[in-house]
Amino acid sequence: MNKNAEMLKRLTTPGGVSGFESPAAQAAAREFKPLADTVQHDRNGSVVATKFATSRKRGKKAPLLLIDAHVDEIGLIVTRIEDDGMLRIAQIGGFDQRVLPSQEVIVHARRPLRGIIGSKPVHLLTPEERAAVDKLEDLYVDVGLPASSVRRLVQVGDYMSMAPWFHELRNGFYAGKAMDDRTGVAAQILMLEALKGRQHTWDVACVAATQEEYGGYGASTCAFRLAPDAAIALDVTQGQAPGLSEDETFPMGKGPCIAVGPNIHPGIYDRLCKAAKAEELPYSIEPVPGVTGTDAGPIQVTRHGVPTGLVSIPLRYMHTSVETVAMLDIERTGRLLARFVVDMEGPEKLRE
Amino acid sequence: MQLLRQLSETHGVAGNEKAVRDLIWSEIKTRVDSKEVDAMGNLIVTKKGRKSRPRIMLAAHMDEVGLMVVNIDKQGMLKFRAVGGLDERALLSKHVLVGKDKTPGVIGAKPVHLIWRREEEMKRPPKTDELHIDIGASSKEDAEKQVKIGDYAMFDTEYASLGPTIKGKAFDDRIGCALLVELLKKPLPVTVHAAFTVQEEVGLRGARIAAFRIEPDIAIVLEGTAAGDFPEKRDLSKAAMIGKGPVITIMDRTVICDRKLVDLAIACAKKARIPFQLKRPGVGGTDAGRIHMTKAGSRTLVISVACRYVHSPASIASKADIRNAGRLVSAVLKAL
Amino acid sequence: MKELLKKLTEVYGPSGNEGPVLHILQKELKGHVDSMKIDVLGNLIVTKGRGKPRVMLAAHADEIGVAVTHIDKNGFLRFTNVGGLRPVNMLGHRVRFQNGTLGTIGEEKRDSLKDELKLEKMYIDIGARDKAEAAKRVAVGDMGCFVQPFVDTGSRLIAKAFDDRVGCAIVVEALKRMRKPACSIFAVFTAQEEVGVRGARTAAYGIKPDVAVAVDITGTGDTPESRTMAVGLGKGPAIKVMDGGMLASPQVKEALIAAAKRLRIPYQLEVLIGGTTDAWGIQVTLEGIPSGVISIPTRYAHTPSEMVDARDVENCVRLLVEYVRSL
């Protein structure tokens, strides 16, 4: 595996379920450290890595660009411990319910426990039951321990993440859990690397935000505190795959998607497209007729409003344990952002 | 009404309100004391009145529901999605104008001759993803000479006077915009911070940041609201009727209006002999839903004009209602 | 405290009409707090103590109810819901309006009992003979709430609107017991929780607290063939981990657990599927306010006969007092 794939693996394998992001946030902070001037954890668990404007060293006050990617991932939580030690579960965020049976999970209990999501064996199912997707209340997690040990180690409210698989597929495609949205964090890191030695007049705050998938407040509260002059959210979007309409999906490995629509400031959109062209990068336009379901939504309406853009990386099998991305798209996103930052003029230019 | 004609015929789908904003600004620029266009495109102006307290925000939204091009297929047909809560049944077989250059197009679907045997398809309105905009392009490349993915499209609807009523598009909420412009042209009893807001139709988004800036004690939202005066035999809850006066909101899905302000508006209407109606409680939502919850909160009132067929290519409203809504807002301002 | 619970649950107070509830609370708190005010959205904000940190306690004063949308020619009232009302819990029940007008709830003929019961097919009968008579007693927009007497079965209590008058009573009792708090307490009896957590947000913005705790009810999993929820009546206060809107802030959750352990009172951890509380609205305010919830296990929530356990209520008071003392 190449260097960037190793980095993506380090980012995606730690658990970072919404509300319990600490392991993933720490992994992100470690990657940011050598590349940023300051790295902080805010009171909501988000990591903020700031690279100061090079013009700042000449004593100029710099405007602030917030670049957001969410560090949390979807997961499960214990709702009840049955008498036989089986764990009843609820979702934190929305897994595709069809993928849950027979998944391997890590239960973050007093010590991490490996578990399997169990359900009624297929032999005992009626034909109707076979045809239907298991209901969440019929599923349970089996940690393979006697009930007394389970009671000692596990309590209601303990969370679970998918087992940390990370696979290299052909042609620079990678599959694993939590690609949504650690690929965005990876793009932030690649951007910081690409900014090394280049002049820019904006301070850049990379935020690895908590609670995008549940609660939805890491990015909005962090944006409120930082009060940026402009912002870009990085997230994933639906990649093209067999059986999906081309109206709503985007090609894999053909570059990042730049969103346009009410949620997006036209000046940011134009500058992102210009940066892509200047870097000779392929990109897709992602039209979003309403509010995007990303951190760009809350960030745009923070305080008096923030000019906001959205760059998305196409991803297949969203909200499963085998989310698949093309490394090339992540690398291009990093380059695109670096160029955007370098080319930014004063914030007043964003006014029409 | 000349202004309302211009406002109605101007395109301003949510996220693309610039043309409406420019038109409004050209009307009021000599009549107001300060101006701000914020990060999302809200136009916020202040006009001084005889007194400065309480701090009053008046709001009307500039945006309208419409369409956005999301893909261009091989044949050069434009696939689209609705921006805001458009009435899907009203889409088929309409004239539209696409993009900055206002390229004309028609909304097409499978012709009736080819589906008449398949009864199920005839019984339901076609879904948005079964429709397309045809601009006469010969291929994808040809279409791309005129149109880009992400372009907005809007119905090509002409404004007209029908005697006591008017017809046109986007009365929700260009009527509110027109009322607010007219108000700003007159001397005011109290200083007003007027917000012509963006993106109401996609989640009350502009009003939220406008209210954050203005921080009002009292906010009055001027709206176009759905009229329900179609033939209805049953004696049930009704939406407002056109011609029966401005509509006062008690509660909708987004706000429970301040009861003292509601009572004040009713008293003002009675005193000035302005007809009025109460909006059916529990339905709809307006910018007031965000404004009253911004920062530490504000007291809000919503005054609307009933419009038939809102969120479709053409609506109908009453001239008398519009006049009376203007009178009612003036009376309330005087009484505050 | 049962006296207070009886008063608070029997009083009228649907969302936006919290006045009568606040009136009782103000009388009850007089002499026990430093200041009281009602803000523009109708929240009652009470302060006690000075110093750090600034802690916000929230219990919502409103309850679910109905709002009149139409009076027909025979004097029947059509209505809409105020908050999360289930039609199946309404038939045959009585509602009361602020001026005391009482009505019973009926439904149109159903073709089959299997057909879903819908609010649009139900009406309120206030015994008026025609529209004119009805219009003298109610107007479109007037709100009503359920009518049910408070019942003390000994260990358990039944009433309407325990959601969230039991929370209000717990906060009142805790304020009385906290004689000289070392921190600044802002207790808010919030308006309009049931229609979308509205009052708590504006109150939190105005107060700018360092930390917040909501006191509200939660469901249980201890009734026949109920949902798979670990919370039960009589097993102590429930400390929220997660609900339909939020994940409780870990530091608040842990501090509440520690407080319960110090008191040696039973407690339960709560994961609620669906539903949320004022804490959700407070948590996302400003730069983010660490927020948690003390939940009172409650059966039959959002029906006219909600049930709580008296010991749970007492233990919630003790837990709240101990938590605030430890700040």
Side-chain angles (χ1 to χ4, degrees):
Chain A
M1 263 189 294
N2 71 20
K3 180 174 131 297
N4 291 342
E6 292 289 353
M7 183 258 289
L8 185 60
K9 185 176 179 181
R10 290 195 298 275
L11 286 173
T12 58
T13 42
V17 175
S18 308
F20 308 91
E21 295 91 347
S22 177
Q26 279 166 17
R30 273 195 297 275
E31 304 291 331
F32 283 136
K33 208 130 238 164
L35 300 167
D37 294 312
T38 65
V39 178
Q40 308 167 319
H41 294 264
D42 78 4
R43 57 150 67 155
N44 307 306
S46 299
V47 182
V48 184
T50 308
K51 186 172 189 321
F52 297 128
T54 46
S55 53
R56 227 191 202 214
K57 285 159 194 146
R58 299 192 296 274
K60 282 189 188 158
K61 203 179 166 294
L64 178 67
L65 173 68
L66 185 158
I67 297 186
D68 162 276
H70 68 88
V71 75
D72 64 317
E73 69 189 83
I74 53 180
L76 302 167
I77 188 164
V78 179
T79 58
R80 185 157 86 177
I81 303 167
E82 297 290 4
D83 292 343
D84 56 3
M86 297 301 185
L87 309 175
R88 293 291 183 184
I89 50 177
Q91 296 229 31
I92 301 181
F95 273 111
D96 178 342
Q97 194 114 319
R98 299 168 303 169
V99 309
L100 288 178
S102 307
Q103 289 289 354
E104 292 192 39
V105 297
I106 306 288
V107 184
H108 299 267
R110 191 157 290 181
R111 62 176 168 83
L113 303 173
R114 300 187 68 143
I116 293 170
I117 303 182
S119 57
K120 218 168 157 185
V122 67
H123 313 81
L124 305 180
L125 296 182
T126 64
E128 294 77 39
E129 282 173 328
R130 274 193 206 210
V133 175
D134 284 301
K135 289 197 206 109
L136 193 62
E137 60 255 38
D138 294 334
L139 299 176
Y140 52 86
V141 168
D142 184 345
V143 293
L145 295 174
S148 57
S149 312
V150 173
R151 295 207 163 271
R152 195 160 40 77
L153 292 168
V154 184
Q155 61 180 359
V156 170
D158 284 349
Y159 72 101
M160 305 175 193
S161 52
M162 282 289 160
W165 301 115
F166 184 85
H167 282 303
E168 183 172 8
L169 310 178
R170 283 177 58 78
N171 298 320
F173 279 56
Y174 293 86
K177 72 160 182 78
M179 294 291 184
D180 172 7
D181 179 32
R182 307 287 160 72
T183 51
V185 178
Q188 289 175 329
I189 289 157
L190 295 174
M191 173 199 70
L192 290 173
E193 276 178 4
L195 278 178
K196 262 195 252 174
R198 288 161 87 178
Q199 301 288 315
H200 53 100
T201 56
W202 285 57
D203 287 345
V204 183
C206 291
V207 176
T210 53
Q211 295 203 27
E212 193 267 359
E213 300 286 2
Y214 204 89
Y217 91 123
S220 65
T221 53
C222 193
F224 192 95
R225 181 168 69 87
L226 298 174
D229 300 284
I232 292 176
L234 304 176
D235 212 322
V236 296
T237 190
Q238 302 288 354
Q240 276 176 8
L244 300 181
S245 157
E246 281 190 20
D247 294 358
E248 280 149 336
T249 57
F250 301 90
M252 305 277 296
K254 301 274 171 65
C257 301
I258 301 175
V260 63
N263 196 173
I264 305 304
H265 190 276
I268 303 274
Y269 168 72
D270 286 342
R271 281 165 180 79
L272 283 167
C273 293
K274 275 193 193 124
K277 284 174 190 146
E279 288 284 306
E280 300 184 353
L281 291 172
Y283 66 94
S284 306
I285 296 172
E286 180 179 16
V288 186
V291 185
T292 64
T294 71
D295 282 340
I299 291 172
Q300 184 191 29
V301 292
T302 299
R303 290 183 180 255
H304 307 97
V306 179
T308 301
L310 170 65
V311 178
S312 299
I313 295 163
L315 172 147
R316 286 187 193 137
Y317 324 120
M318 197 180 288
H319 286 198
T320 72
S321 52
V322 292
E323 296 181 327
T324 299
V325 293
M327 180 53 74
L328 204 50
D329 290 337
I330 305 174
E331 291 166 352
R332 285 166 173 157
T333 304
R335 276 173 59 203
L336 168 68
L337 293 170
R339 182 64 182 239
F340 174 88
V341 169
V342 167
D343 288 350
M344 278 293 267
E345 308 143 299
E348 67 286 350
K349 298 272 174 149
L350 285 172
R351 304 274 168 111
E352 284 168 286
Chain B
M1 294 286 162
Q2 184 53 34
L3 170 64
L4 187 52
R5 167 191 295 274
Q6 283 175 289
L7 282 167
S8 168
E9 291 185 351
T10 302
H11 290 200
V13 179
N16 191 37
E17 299 89 349
K18 185 174 187 303
V20 183
R21 182 168 61 240
D22 291 348
L23 171 61
I24 290 170
W25 178 239
S26 72
E27 285 288 321
I28 58 173
K29 64 182 165 197
T30 59
R31 315 291 187 105
V32 298
D33 298 299
S34 73
K35 172 209 185 191
E36 175 86 35
V37 176
D38 69 16
M40 287 175 71
N42 292 308
L43 171 61
I44 299 168
V45 298
T46 300
K47 183 181 170 83
K48 294 209 179 90
R50 281 196 294 281
K51 56 176 187 174
S52 62
R53 291 277 148 192
R55 200 170 163 83
I56 292 173
M57 172 176 181
L58 292 184
H61 69 88
M62 297 186 287
D63 64 310
E64 62 191 306
V65 295
L67 310 173
M68 180 186 269
V69 178
V70 298
N71 200 11
I72 302 173
D73 75 10
K74 287 191 201 100
Q75 297 175 65
M77 298 298 183
L78 317 181
K79 303 305 293 283
F80 64 89
R81 292 289 183 275
V83 181
L86 199 57
D87 187 342
E88 232 180 22
R89 299 166 307 168
L91 289 172
L92 185 57
S93 192
K94 297 294 184 310
H95 294 267
V96 296
L97 298 172
V98 187
K100 280 206 181 77
D101 300 335
K102 299 197 175 171
T103 304
V106 296
I107 298 182
K110 236 188 271 179
V112 64
H113 312 82
L114 301 184
I115 59 169
W116 67 276
R117 278 173 208 282
R118 287 195 265 154
E119 291 217 336
E120 280 314 302
E121 261 182 83
M122 285 299 289
K123 278 186 192 152
R124 61 168 177 81
K127 295 200 174 69
T128 308
D129 58 7
E130 295 166 340
L131 300 171
H132 55 259
I133 298 171
D134 187 342
I135 57 167
S138 55
S139 67
K140 182 171 179 156
E141 291 66 33
D142 186 38
E144 281 172 343
K145 288 176 199 157
Q146 287 281 335
V147 173
K148 299 187 305 294
I149 289 177
D151 275 357
Y152 291 91
M154 196 52 225
F155 302 108
D156 185 15
T157 305
E158 201 184 347
Y159 173 95
S161 170
L162 311 175
T165 62
I166 51 172
K167 78 114 191 170
K169 74 164 178 66
F171 286 167
D172 170 11
D173 180 31
R174 303 290 160 70
I175 285 178
C177 293
L179 285 171
L180 194 41
V181 167
E182 293 305 332
L183 203 73
L184 291 169
K185 289 180 176 173
K186 292 180 213 150
L188 292 170
V190 56
T191 297
V192 158
H193 306 273
F196 296 91
T197 64
V198 298
Q199 298 192 27
E200 193 268 355
E201 299 291 358
V202 292
L204 321 179
R205 292 173 66 76
R208 172 172 162 159
I209 67 168
F212 192 95
R213 184 180 297 269
I214 295 170
E215 233 180 308
D217 299 318
I218 290 174
I220 304 176
V221 174
L222 308 177
E223 260 288 4
T225 190
D229 49 356
F230 40 83
E232 168 80 76
K233 285 191 212 92
R234 301 187 64 203
D235 189 4
L236 293 173
S237 316
K238 283 186 183 64
M241 322 259 271
I242 75 165
K244 297 263 169 97
V247 185
I248 299 168
T249 298
I250 296 173
M251 68 170 263
D252 64 20
R253 280 188 296 103
T254 61
V255 67
I256 296 173
C257 285
D258 187 83
R259 191 66 216 193
K260 287 195 195 99
L261 282 178
V262 170
D263 290 342
L264 178 73
I266 291 172
C268 287
K270 284 183 176 161
K271 195 169 155 213
R273 294 173 191 272
I274 303 168
F276 71 95
Q277 11 182 7
L278 294 176
K279 188 174 152 143
R280 174 181 170 182
V283 293
T286 72
D287 277 343
R290 286 294 175 279
I291 295 168
H292 85 287
M293 280 201 289
T294 299
K295 291 196 166 172
S298 54
R299 299 163 60 200
T300 49
L301 176 67
V302 183
I303 294 176
S304 315
V305 171
C307 306
R308 292 180 189 154
Y309 327 119
V310 291
H311 290 206
S312 86
S315 14
I316 289 179
S318 145
K319 288 175 184 169
D321 285 349
I322 298 171
R323 247 188 337 267
N324 284 326
R327 288 174 60 207
L328 179 56
V329 177
S330 295
V332 170
L333 285 181
K334 212 169 283 170
L336 283 173
Chain C
M1 198 175 168
K2 282 180 183 168
E3 257 321 282
L4 178 60
L5 276 172
K6 178 174 162 64
K7 267 193 272 183
L8 283 173
T9 52
E10 289 183 352
V11 75
Y12 163 97
S15 306
N17 293 262
E18 297 86 356
V21 184
L22 302 190
H23 185 69
I24 293 173
L25 292 166
Q26 281 170 312
K27 259 172 57 187
E28 198 68 32
L29 286 165
K30 208 164 177 194
H32 295 281
V33 295
D34 299 342
S35 76
M36 290 194 251
K37 70 158 191 192
I38 295 177
D39 76 3
V40 290
L41 258 72
N43 297 303
L44 170 61
I45 302 176
V46 171
T47 65
K48 186 167 187 175
R50 291 167 183 215
K52 291 270 164 189
R54 295 163 73 86
V55 55
M56 174 171 169
L57 309 178
H60 67 89
D62 65 318
E63 67 188 293
I64 55 170
V66 296
V68 177
T69 57
H70 180 69
I71 305 173
D72 79 12
K73 64 179 195 304
N74 297 319
F76 294 106
L77 317 180
R78 296 287 174 164
F79 64 95
T80 186
N81 62 307
V82 177
L85 203 56
R86 285 189 297 268
V88 68
N89 296 328
M90 302 202 59
L91 269 191
H93 274 289
R94 294 174 193 179
V95 292
R96 184 176 57 204
F97 294 90
Q98 187 153 17
N99 64 7
T101 298
L102 277 168
T104 183
I105 294 175
E107 63 161 332
E108 297 174 9
K109 168 177 70 72
R110 251 188 296 178
D111 292 332
S112 158
L113 281 179
K114 283 184 194 151
D115 288 353
E116 193 190 345
L117 193 58
K118 287 189 178 146
L119 281 191
E120 304 90 86
K121 304 228 169 194
M122 300 168 75
Y123 54 84
I124 300 167
D125 187 344
I126 55 169
R129 275 170 295 193
D130 55 29
K131 183 167 188 163
E133 192 184 328
K136 278 184 204 145
R137 289 190 260 159
V138 289
V140 166
D142 282 359
M143 289 187 192
C145 63
F146 290 126
V147 185
Q148 277 289 18
F150 173 87
V151 175
D152 180 0
T153 71
S155 56
R156 284 168 182 177
L157 315 171
I158 306 171
K160 79 158 176 73
F162 268 135
D163 178 5
D164 182 30
R165 305 289 160 65
V166 65
C168 294
I170 288 166
V171 172
V172 166
E173 186 62 25
L175 284 169
K176 287 182 183 172
R177 292 189 200 175
M178 293 183 282
R179 294 200 190 282
K180 285 222 162 78
C183 57
S184 307
I185 300 169
F186 298 81
V188 186
F189 301 93
T190 61
Q192 300 186 30
E193 192 267 358
E194 296 289 1
V195 290
V197 186
R198 293 184 187 158
R201 298 194 222 198
T202 55
Y205 193 97
I207 292 166
K208 301 185 170 45
D210 299 307
V211 63
V213 174
V215 184
D216 205 338
I217 66 143
T218 188
T220 69
D222 63 349
T223 49
E225 294 297 316
S226 65
R227 57 179 145 188
T228 59
M229 188 174 178
V231 174
L233 240 53
K235 295 182 182 163
I239 297 170
K240 192 179 297 285
V241 179
M242 168 179 152
D243 64 25
M246 74 178 299
L247 292 145
S249 302
Q251 65 261 48
V252 181
K253 180 187 73 180
E254 294 302 331
L256 287 170
I257 292 171
K261 284 183 173 159
R262 281 197 302 277
L263 290 171
R264 296 168 189 273
I265 57 170
Y267 70 93
Q268 332 178 46
L269 291 170
E270 172 208 349
V271 176
L272 175 70
I273 300 168
T276 194
T277 72
D278 278 339
W280 167 66
I282 298 166
Q283 190 183 40
V284 299
T285 300
L286 296 157
E287 295 172 13
I289 296 163
S291 305
V293 185
I294 295 176
S295 300
I296 307 95
T298 304
R299 290 180 187 161
Y300 324 119
H302 284 204
T303 77
S305 296
E306 300 174 333
M307 183 188 284
V308 299
D309 183 282
R311 275 171 311 170
D312 288 345
V313 176
E314 168 60 22
N315 281 330
C316 284
V317 176
R318 293 180 62 200
L319 177 59
L320 185 59
V321 171
E322 174 63 17
Y323 168 77
V324 172
R325 196 195 57 76
S326 73
L327 282 173

